[in-house]
Each structure stands twice: as C-alpha cells, then as structure tokens.
Amino acid sequence: MRILSGIQPSGTLHIGNYFGMMRPSIELQQKGEAFYFIADYHALTSIHDAKLLREYSRDVALDFLACGLDPARAILFRQSDVPEVTELAWLLSVVTPMSLLEKCHSYKDKTAKGIAPTHGLFAYPVLMAADILIYQSDVVPVGRDQKQHVEVTRDIAVKFNAQFGEVFKLPEPQIREAVALVPGSDGQKMSKSYNNTIEIFGDEKALRKKVMGIQTDSQPLEVPKTDLEKNPAWLLLKLLASEPAFAEMDRKLRAGGTGYGDLKKAVFENYWAYFAEARKRREGFLKDPSVIDRVLKEGAEKARPVARATLDRARKAVGL
Ligand code: ADP
Ligand code: TRP
C-alpha cells in the first residue's frame, strides 16, 4: 500500500494540522510505503516572500520530524524538489473540465478570506491531483476539508485513463471522523487563516494565554454544564487527555461547581504534556539543523524516480 499526503508551508503548524493530518500520517508510516511532502508549490498561491517560504518549509519538516515522522520509514521531501509534478499537472489539466474546478469549495473560501483570485489558486486541485497520481498513491490521509480535492483527483484520473489508457491508480481519502474538524479557540475550524490556532510548538506563556482565551458560553461556575459538545475547550480536552482524565472532567462539569476556567486549565496542562516528548525531540533537531536538509535531500532522491516513471508513462500515453 502506498500512502501519500502533503501539507502547505504557509504558516506555523497547529494542533488541527496535527490531529487531522500529521498524526494519521505518522501512524500510517508503519503500514506501507509512505510519501509525505511539503507542498511549497501550493504555498506559492498565498506566500510571495521568498525568505518566508524557505523558512516555513524547513519549519514544517522540523515539526513533522519532531512529531514522530521517521525518515527511515517514510519519505519526506519538498514538492518542488520533484518538478516532474508540474508537467503532469499540465497533462491532467487538458482533461479536467472547468466545471469540476468551479465546484471546489476551497477556491471560494480562500478568495473570500482575501487570498488573491489567481489562476494558480483556481488550478490548485489539478496540481494536487498530480501530486497524488504521480506517486500512484492508494491512500491519502487528510482532514475533512481536503476530501473534495481527493474526489476531484479520482475524477481526473478516470477521465485521463478513459482517454489515454490506464496510467493512474485511483486513490482513496482517509479521514478520521473523530479528528476531521478540530475546533479553534473561537469554535470555528482551527485554521491559520482564522487567527484561532493553538500551535503545536511555541512559547509556553503565550500558548497558555491562547488556551485560557478559548471562547465558552456564560454558564456560571455553580450550575451543571450543558451543551458541552459545542464547547471548543471540551472538544480539545477530549483529544488531548487520557480517557479517564477526560471522563472525570466531564463528570465534574455536568455535576456543577466546576467552571470553564478549570476546564481550560486542564486543556492547557494536557496539551503541554501531550507534546512534551515532541518538544524535546525538536530541541534535539535544532542543535543540528543540517539533519533536516539531509532528510529532505534524501527524500527527494527517493521520490523523484517514482514520479519520473509515472510521468514517462503519461507522456507516452498522450503522444509526447
Ligand atoms: P489551514 O486551514 O490552517 O491553512 P491547511 O489547509 O494547511 O490548514 O491544512 C493542512 C492539513 O491539515 C490538511 O490535511 C487539513 O485537512 C488538516 N487540517 C487543517 N485544519 C484542520 C482542522 N481544524 N481539523 C482537522 N484537520 C485540519
Ligand atoms: N491541499 C493540501 C492542503 O492545503 C496540501 C496538499 C497538496 C496535499 N497536495 C496534496 C494533501 C496531496 C494531500 C495530497 O492541506
């Protein structure tokens, strides 16, 4: 089984990225041949600062390694170190109906958030299809917001195969329902673009402040709490705490006499403990950052021949 996923280096990674994409990817690295990449071509749709893009790309690699990505098991690389993918994107684009891209939510969502409505942003799903298809991927672990893109990928692959002969495997998205949508501090989807994130790594004091700032309703301390399933702090504790610790806090809240301040304190403590080991590993990598460059270089060397082989088949199929 080949597993593939990508993440854009468009900002600092947060625990929504971790639970939705990174943790499932890291778990899957044991189960097959894993290809994980830093989608820097994609990030160019929103970042036009060369220094920043380079920094974010290395930071994503660092954070992924710190969180447990094992380069001995999974191939980690920069998307742009395998430029074959952009040529495949062109070959796919000639069988991609405009209507398929017009249906995509992400273009509408992103332009609504102020990202420039460029051709690159509109054609983003075609490049993502090329990413997935060029490695003949079976499984794509992502958060729920990427499901449509994997479906578009399948549609494009079916069209290409029907027109030019069987070149591509059809991939399946893998979405864990329990973590498909991690809420941010305001209760909306946690996202870099909503200013509601809790980063995986960062300064303790600043992060404590963010956690204590999670929005809640105004039920007073004494009353038995209701509607907890809508409370972002409760939802986050469920992800971060052990089952018995979560059950105990849940019981206390429902009994009354325990307030949201206590809940948020528990969220912070569990969050800080949850990533303690990763934080230590990250400090280790920071002592010798050349490891990151080496991992990315070796990753690209392994990924590129696989991509080249698929691209050659696709070129031949279309008559180039
Ligand atoms: P952001 O919305 O912060 O820009 P990205 O779009 O870069 O995040 O997402 C990178 C990966 O992390 C994708 O697989 C996405 O589905 C997942 N992801 C992002 N935010 C969340 C979230 N709040 N809950 C679950 N998964 C998420
Ligand atoms: N679009 C994905 C995101 O924003 C990143 C991505 C690019 C990706 N190519 C991919 C994810 C291929 C999975 C497979 O998060």
Side-chain angles (χ1 to χ4, degrees), residues 13 64 78 91 94 102 107 113 116 137 155 159 163 174 199 201 207 219 242 244-245 248-249 273 284 287 291 295:
L13 298 177
F64 230 130
R78 263 192 221 95
L91 302 188
V94 300
E102 276 159 2
Y107 178 78
K113 277 186 238 150
S137 318
D155 287 349
K159 278 214 176 291
Q163 189 71 44
Q174 190 186 83
E199 283 71 35
F201 301 106
L207 283 160
Q219 298 177 69
S242 69
E248 173 66 5
M249 178 52 78
K287 284 192 192 122
V291 175
V295 166

Side-chain angles (χ1 to χ4, degrees), residues 28-73:
L28 280 169
Q29 72 189 1
Q30 329 272 6
K31 304 249 162 74
E33 248 186 307
F35 285 66
Y36 301 138
F37 65 92
I38 298 158
D40 50 0
Y41 282 138
H42 277 109
L44 277 171
T45 56
S46 62
I47 297 196
H48 292 172
D49 176 327
K51 186 165 167 271
L52 196 62
L53 183 63
R54 257 176 233 124
E55 258 171 44
Y56 281 157
S57 295
R58 289 187 85 254
D59 286 352
V60 168
L62 168 66
D63 290 356
F64 230 130
L65 289 167
C67 285
L69 183 136
D70 177 0
R73 292 182 184 275

Side-chain angles (χ1 to χ4, degrees), residues 6-8 10 14 16-17 20-21 141-146 179-183 189-193:
I7 189 156
Q8 288 191 68
S10 53
H14 52 73
N17 298 137
M21 184 270 183
V142 280
R144 189 185 290 152
D145 56 348
Q146 297 297 321
V179 291
L181 209 156
V182 177
K189 176 196 129 135
M190 187 178 291
S191 168
K192 281 167 234 133
S193 357

Side-chain angles (χ1 to χ4, degrees), residues 51-213:
K51 186 165 167 271
L52 196 62
L53 183 63
R54 257 176 233 124
E55 258 171 44
Y56 281 157
S57 295
R58 289 187 85 254
D59 286 352
V60 168
L62 168 66
D63 290 356
F64 230 130
L65 289 167
C67 285
L69 183 136
D70 177 0
R73 292 182 184 275
I75 298 176
L76 179 68
F77 61 103
R78 263 192 221 95
Q79 185 185 29
S80 62
D81 284 338
V82 187
E84 283 79 0
V85 76
T86 59
E87 184 176 347
L88 183 64
W90 179 256
L91 302 188
L92 299 178
S93 78
V94 300
V95 295
T96 304
M98 282 297 281
S99 56
L100 197 59
L101 299 181
E102 276 159 2
K103 272 195 327 209
C104 289
H105 308 302
S106 87
Y107 178 78
K108 286 172 238 166
D109 293 349
K110 288 183 175 174
T111 51
K113 277 186 238 150
I115 298 181
T118 58
H119 171 258
L121 191 66
F122 186 71
Y124 180 117
V126 184
L127 180 59
M128 182 157 162
D131 289 327
I132 297 171
L133 299 175
I134 208 164
Y135 297 106
Q136 304 285 355
S137 318
D138 298 292
V139 177
V140 184
V142 280
R144 189 185 290 152
D145 56 348
Q146 297 297 321
K147 184 168 183 234
Q148 190 183 34
H149 289 151
V150 183
E151 287 162 1
V152 165
T153 301
R154 289 174 64 94
D155 287 349
I156 296 176
V158 166
K159 278 214 176 291
F160 189 101
N161 287 348
Q163 189 71 44
F164 298 114
E166 290 292 316
V167 174
F168 301 118
K169 253 195 203 167
L170 299 191
E172 293 284 348
Q174 190 186 83
I175 294 153
R176 307 252 174 112
E177 276 315 308
V179 291
L181 209 156
V182 177
S185 55
D186 58 357
Q188 287 193 75
K189 176 196 129 135
M190 187 178 291
S191 168
K192 281 167 234 133
S193 357
Y194 296 155
N195 200 14
N196 65 357
T197 54
I198 295 163
E199 283 71 35
I200 306 172
F201 301 106
D203 173 65
E204 180 170 0
K205 219 168 137 199
L207 283 160
R208 187 191 299 270
K209 203 165 155 213
K210 280 195 176 194
V211 171
M212 295 312 287

